[in-house]
Every structure is written in C-alpha cells, then in structure tokens.
Amino acid sequence: MNRLTGSDGAPALAILGPPATRLVKELDRVFTGWGTEAGAEEISAPPLFPVTDLEKFDVYTNFPQLAWVAGSLDLTEDQFKPVDGRFGPGAVTEARYGLPHATCYGAYLFHEGNQVADDTLVTLVNRCFRNEDHYGGLRRLASFQMREIVAIGSFEHTQQVLARFTERIQSFAGTLGIDLGKVPAGDPFFRNDNGRALLQKLSPVKYEFQYGDLAIASVNTHRNFFGERCAIRLESGEHAYTSCVAFGLERWIAVLTEHFGEDLDAALTAVRAAAADPS
C-alpha cells in the first residue's frame, strides 16, 4: 500500500510502501545495469540546480508550465507565516534554485566546459519535478524518480545508443507481457531555436513507449544543443552531440501494479526473471 498526499488534497506526491519500494529499487537496478553493461559510468546529481544553469537549456521558455523553483523565506514577521497551507508571496525573498523536470540535465552540467570521448556514456537517477495541471497517483506526480542513460559524443554514437536501448525496452516489456506502443512525442524541445525546431518537425526527436496512454520510457535525441549550451567538445573540436534514454520509475510501478492485479510480489518476481532472460 502506498500513501498519496499533496496540497489541497491533490494526489501529487507518493510515499511508496515496502512492496513498491522493493519493486522500484529492482527496476532501477535493472535499468542501471543496462547502462553499465554498455559502458556507462554512474554519476550522482543534486535534486535542484541554480536557475542560471537551467536557463541555459531554455527550460523557462520551452516548458514554463512545468517549472518549480525553490527560494529562501523571510519569516521574521508573523504575517509571513503559512496560512491555509501556503506561504504568501511576500514570504519568499529570492528563488535562485530551480527544480529540474528531467534527470539528464545533471549529465550535461557535469561535463560542462570539458572535452569528452566520442563514445561517452553516463547514467544517473534523480528526482524530477513537474507543475502539472492535474495529478493522478503514480501515473502523474509532482515529484518522481527518473533513471536516465545519457550518450555524449559523436552523432553516430548517440543514435546507436538509442537503437540499442529501444530494442532492449521492447524486449523487456514483451517478456513481462506488457504491450508497449512506440509513438513520436510532441514536446516543443527546440521551440526557442528556429533551425532545430524545423528539424524537429521534419524528424521527431523524441519517442515515447506507452502503455495505453501512459508513457513509461522514452528515447530522445538532442543533436548538439546541450553540447553547445554547455561547451562540451569532442577531440575534433566540434560540439558534442547527445541523446538519452529515460525511465519514469513510478510510472513503471503503476503499469506493473495494473498488469499483475496489484500483486507486487509477483511483479517483482517477473521483473527479475525478465532481466535475467538472455533474449
């Protein structure tokens, strides 16, 4: 059993119970293993970044509806104490930190200003935050965990990684008996860059793996957007290309809960068996 909570009664946050916690840890172990087997090195990122860092990626231009920020409070006056579960605007002095809505930002900021090999691969997990217009338990949360495998290097390398993990996601889901559709997503990732925006219209840069109408994983190509914004270069001197594979861990739990009739112990056994399946 999980505990849902949130402001004004919205099911925006989840405290996972023991069975779901065991399952989410096992899923993360599986997806992390896929990355490390492919040569990825694991890094750890903080759950928030300076606004100046996230601004580099046009986060507040392209995804303003999702944005959360964290600021310090001035509570020296009683009028600034929380009322009805809210701090008034006068209580927040500055919001210098932003809460990311994707995990991969940490990988690009980690390599900022560096030269990387043409076949660089990293993996990381982080808390992501999205200011959605509605929430729906584990299917749609304000804060959730996302594991990513991030390719940085040559364009060929970034595309080979996406092809490899596309096949692995589909095979893993099939072994679990889960029918996933692969569909192009319409996120306006390059809305602030006319050249890339046109390219996105001609060739989708993001594909989602959907169970019904719920996306539980995605593969994303960014060309050299992050390489340019973070001054990441290859030995040749050109800016690095990037791509990433993302897994929404709580969403996988939601799908497995439904698929296995809320028997999470059975789901855990099935995940372990599917991960061990050589096919």
Side-chain angles (χ1 to χ4, degrees):
M1 180 177 178
N2 304 314
R3 165 75 171 167
L4 295 175
T5 185
S7 179
D8 296 329
L13 302 167
I15 304 172
L16 300 181
T21 297
R22 288 191 291 270
L23 184 53
V24 81
K25 286 181 176 293
E26 184 64 21
L27 285 165
D28 190 44
R29 185 192 67 79
V30 170
F31 301 144
T32 304
W34 292 359
T36 55
E37 288 168 15
E41 291 191 292
E42 188 164 20
I43 63 173
S44 300
L48 74 171
F49 295 98
V51 166
T52 51
D53 280 343
L54 296 181
E55 275 189 310
K56 297 172 187 173
F57 308 144
D58 298 332
V59 166
Y60 303 112
T61 300
N62 291 340
F63 304 100
Q65 75 281 7
L66 299 179
W68 291 99
V69 293
S72 56
L73 294 170
D74 179 359
L75 303 181
T76 56
E77 302 291 338
D78 287 343
Q79 63 178 330
F80 292 149
K81 300 300 184 184
V83 177
D84 295 329
R86 294 175 173 81
F87 286 105
V92 181
T93 57
E94 290 182 322
R96 297 184 179 184
Y97 291 91
L99 305 177
H101 68 268
T103 289
C104 60
Y105 297 147
Y108 315 129
L109 292 168
F110 176 76
H111 285 288
E112 185 171 19
N114 292 335
Q115 178 181 302
V116 300
D118 285 8
D119 59 350
T120 300
L121 197 63
V122 299
T123 184
L124 65 166
V125 68
N126 208 348
R127 280 276 169 187
C128 297
F129 302 85
R130 297 185 181 180
N131 181 31
E132 304 278 12
D133 57 7
H134 68 282
Y135 297 103
L138 299 186
R139 296 175 62 90
R140 185 181 293 270
L141 290 164
S143 174
F144 59 95
Q145 300 170 84
M146 182 187 291
R147 164 66 61 178
E148 294 207 36
I149 301 166
V150 183
I152 306 174
S154 69
F155 182 71
E156 292 74 18
H157 167 60
T158 65
Q159 300 311 293
Q160 289 167 2
V161 167
L162 296 190
R164 179 189 311 150
F165 287 105
T166 290
E167 181 178 341
R168 193 143 198 187
I169 290 167
Q170 292 172 322
S171 176
F172 181 65
T175 303
L176 287 169
I178 295 173
D179 183 22
L180 289 184
K182 180 187 174 186
V183 300
D187 293 3
F189 188 80
F190 296 131
R191 190 173 63 189
N192 201 40
D193 186 315
N194 291 336
R196 291 191 182 90
L198 175 60
L199 182 64
Q200 178 173 338
K201 292 179 181 178
L202 298 174
S203 177
V205 298
K206 176 177 181 177
Y207 286 91
E208 294 179 336
F209 297 91
Q210 294 186 350
Y211 178 81
D213 62 350
L214 180 66
I216 62 175
S218 66
V219 290
N220 311 266
T221 185
H222 322 116
R223 299 191 64 81
N224 54 5
F225 176 83
F226 290 109
E228 290 178 352
R229 295 300 175 90
C230 286
I232 306 170
R233 293 188 179 273
L234 304 177
E235 187 176 350
S236 65
E238 69 175 318
H239 287 106
Y241 291 83
T242 67
S243 68
C244 67
V245 185
F247 305 91
L249 298 180
E250 280 84 355
R251 290 189 175 191
W252 277 85
I253 299 295
V255 168
L256 291 169
T257 299
E258 178 180 333
H259 185 67
F260 287 93
E262 301 193 5
D263 187 345
L264 295 190
D265 289 335
L268 179 62
T269 299
V271 165
R272 287 172 174 165
D277 191 326
S279 64

